[in-house]
Amino acid sequence: MKKNLSEIFPDRRREYESEPTLRQAQLIILRILKIVDYICRKHNISYWLESGTLLGAVRHGGFIPWDDDIDIGMTREDYNRFLSIAKDELPDDLFVENLDTTEYAGNTWTQIKDRKSKIVIWGQENQHPGLYIDIFPYDSYSSNPFRRVFIEKLYKLLYINVYAINAPLKKPYFKGKNAVINAIKLLLKMVFFVFAIFNKDVIYKLNLKTRDKRIKRMDKNPKINYGYGTDVLNWDKVFKAEKIFPLKTMKFEDGEFLVPNDVDYVLRVFFGDDYMQLPPESKRVYHNKMIKTILPEEEVRKINKGFYYNKGEIDL
């Protein structure tokens, strides 16, 4: 099957060399999305475009022009099903990276990475460097506010608050808007000093110790509220099930992909009511420090060395 997918979705990166580097990267990860979409449809697995990728589909008909990744969501059940087959069905030039496939994953969600490219992300130097798409698990959250906040979201909310409180002050410290922002940050540090003494890495490790139990409990919840997995600490969004399901299709670049049922509502939750307006140019930034879309064979071998499937080195 791997050979067939390589034939259906051939690697055409050398045909893109005349394009700007960012556009080359977008076309490489668009191929990854098409392959994931193919596998999901074959096995009746649901997914949907989300976050900036969904915004790009609506506002630009494809990628946000300065975006360098793709985000999709899946219910936890479909996420687990996808992961159970992905390593066997993906072409050899793609790699499933998560905490079960490599100790260097860093994230608690899954990334499908291209083995023959390199993108350097701030703070992710130890991970596999290939261009990627993000796949986020969505859990079913309880309607009981106490249970949701103090059990299902506990580590998530701790992590977000610790990250915010410990964020460095902006320079120059006492000029213009920075003076107001920094004053608020200092006030928050004093009021919520207990968060300031925490370390987000400690919370990350504590989250991993209990995540399986939390996920198992949450699986018993009525399927009426879906949000980023209890183990996905960076974001806290929850949607009514009817805002996501039944899924629809929408054009993204030259393909049709699955999107939430109420796209407008979902985008308002993510980005606010003015999501169709372009941000100021100063906010049109991408994640990476550097992108290389075509690598010599020696570098391909080098970047894949040390990453493992089931404790066996990846075959190149």
Side-chain angles (χ1 to χ4, degrees):
M1 189 60 199
K2 290 181 180 179
K3 182 178 180 181
N4 289 341
L5 282 184
S6 294
E7 291 174 356
I8 297 170
F9 304 99
D11 179 4
R12 292 197 169 105
R13 72 188 68 208
R14 292 202 173 273
E15 298 176 17
Y16 314 145
E17 286 188 86
S18 62
E19 297 280 355
T21 301
L22 179 58
R23 183 57 181 166
Q24 293 179 47
Q26 290 175 345
L27 293 171
I28 289 170
I29 59 177
L30 177 61
R31 172 181 176 256
I32 303 177
L33 175 62
K34 289 178 178 179
I35 292 171
V36 169
D37 170 80
Y38 182 94
I39 294 172
C40 287
R41 291 177 189 270
K42 173 187 172 185
H43 293 278
N44 197 29
I45 293 172
S46 295
Y47 76 89
W48 58 91
L49 304 186
E50 61 115 77
S51 189
T53 306
L54 182 61
L55 176 59
V58 172
R59 195 170 69 191
H60 304 277
F63 286 97
I64 294 174
W66 51 92
D67 207 0
D68 53 20
D69 72 347
I70 285 176
D71 302 313
I72 67 174
M74 296 180 180
T75 65
R76 180 71 68 172
E77 179 182 7
D78 281 324
Y79 178 82
N80 289 338
R81 286 183 59 219
F82 176 81
L83 293 182
S84 72
I85 63 175
K87 289 185 292 184
D88 294 326
E89 299 229 355
L90 289 170
D92 288 331
D93 60 352
L94 298 183
F95 168 51
V96 179
E97 181 171 87
N98 57 39
L99 291 172
D100 293 323
T101 64
T102 170
E103 62 181 303
Y104 303 111
N107 302 316
T108 52
W109 58 93
T110 290
Q111 294 180 320
I112 308 298
K113 295 197 166 182
D114 174 65
R115 291 187 184 177
K116 298 180 180 180
S117 60
K118 188 173 184 179
I119 179 169
V120 180
I121 305 292
W122 302 99
Q124 297 183 12
E125 288 77 6
N126 288 331
Q127 297 180 34
H128 187 283
L131 289 160
Y132 62 91
I133 73 169
D134 286 312
I135 303 180
F136 295 101
Y138 273 60
D139 285 323
S140 51
Y141 281 85
S142 172
S143 296
N144 182 311
F146 182 89
R147 177 178 173 135
R148 185 189 292 187
V149 172
F150 293 102
I151 298 176
E152 299 172 347
K153 286 187 176 185
L154 177 62
Y155 295 108
K156 185 188 298 280
L157 296 177
L158 280 173
Y159 188 89
I160 291 171
N161 280 285
V162 167
Y163 192 88
I165 294 300
N166 289 307
L169 301 179
K170 290 190 173 185
K171 297 180 180 180
Y173 299 118
F174 305 110
K175 288 188 178 181
K177 292 182 179 179
N178 286 356
V180 177
I181 293 172
N182 288 335
I184 293 173
K185 282 187 176 182
L186 287 171
L187 179 62
L188 290 173
K189 285 177 186 289
M190 289 186 286
V191 174
F192 298 102
F193 68 93
V194 66
F195 289 117
I197 63 176
F198 272 94
N199 183 308
K200 65 183 180 65
D201 294 328
V202 172
I203 297 171
Y204 175 87
K205 291 176 182 177
L206 289 172
N207 164 60
L208 294 182
K209 287 183 178 180
T210 61
R211 72 167 178 166
D212 290 341
K213 290 182 180 179
R214 298 198 313 275
I215 291 168
K216 191 172 182 179
R217 284 199 216 104
M218 294 171 72
D219 188 53
K220 298 176 182 177
N221 287 337
K223 311 303 182 186
I224 55 177
N225 300 301
Y226 281 101
Y228 282 117
T230 183
D231 52 335
V232 178
L233 301 183
N234 308 56
W235 297 282
D236 178 27
K237 304 289 185 188
V238 176
F239 306 92
K240 291 294 184 183
E242 63 265 24
K243 299 299 182 181
I244 297 179
F245 302 105
L247 299 170
K248 305 185 298 188
T249 59
M250 181 174 287
K251 182 180 181 295
F252 182 86
E253 296 291 333
D254 62 351
E256 292 279 335
F257 301 95
L258 296 172
V259 298
N261 180 44
D262 192 339
V263 169
D264 176 68
Y265 176 86
V266 171
L267 286 177
R268 289 177 190 276
V269 171
F270 272 117
F271 302 106
D273 293 342
D274 60 349
Y275 65 82
M276 289 300 289
Q277 293 184 4
L278 289 173
E281 288 193 21
S282 61
K283 299 290 185 181
R284 301 176 196 178
V285 296
Y286 30 78
H287 307 95
N288 72 84
K289 292 192 286 185
M290 180 272 288
I291 293 177
K292 293 171 72 174
T293 59
I294 298 175
L295 303 176
E297 289 185 13
E298 182 180 345
E299 189 167 2
V300 170
R301 286 194 295 271
K302 181 179 178 181
I303 67 171
N304 284 284
K305 188 172 179 59
F307 289 89
Y308 300 90
Y309 278 154
N310 299 326
K311 298 184 179 179
E313 192 166 339
I314 298 169
D315 295 325
L316 294 176

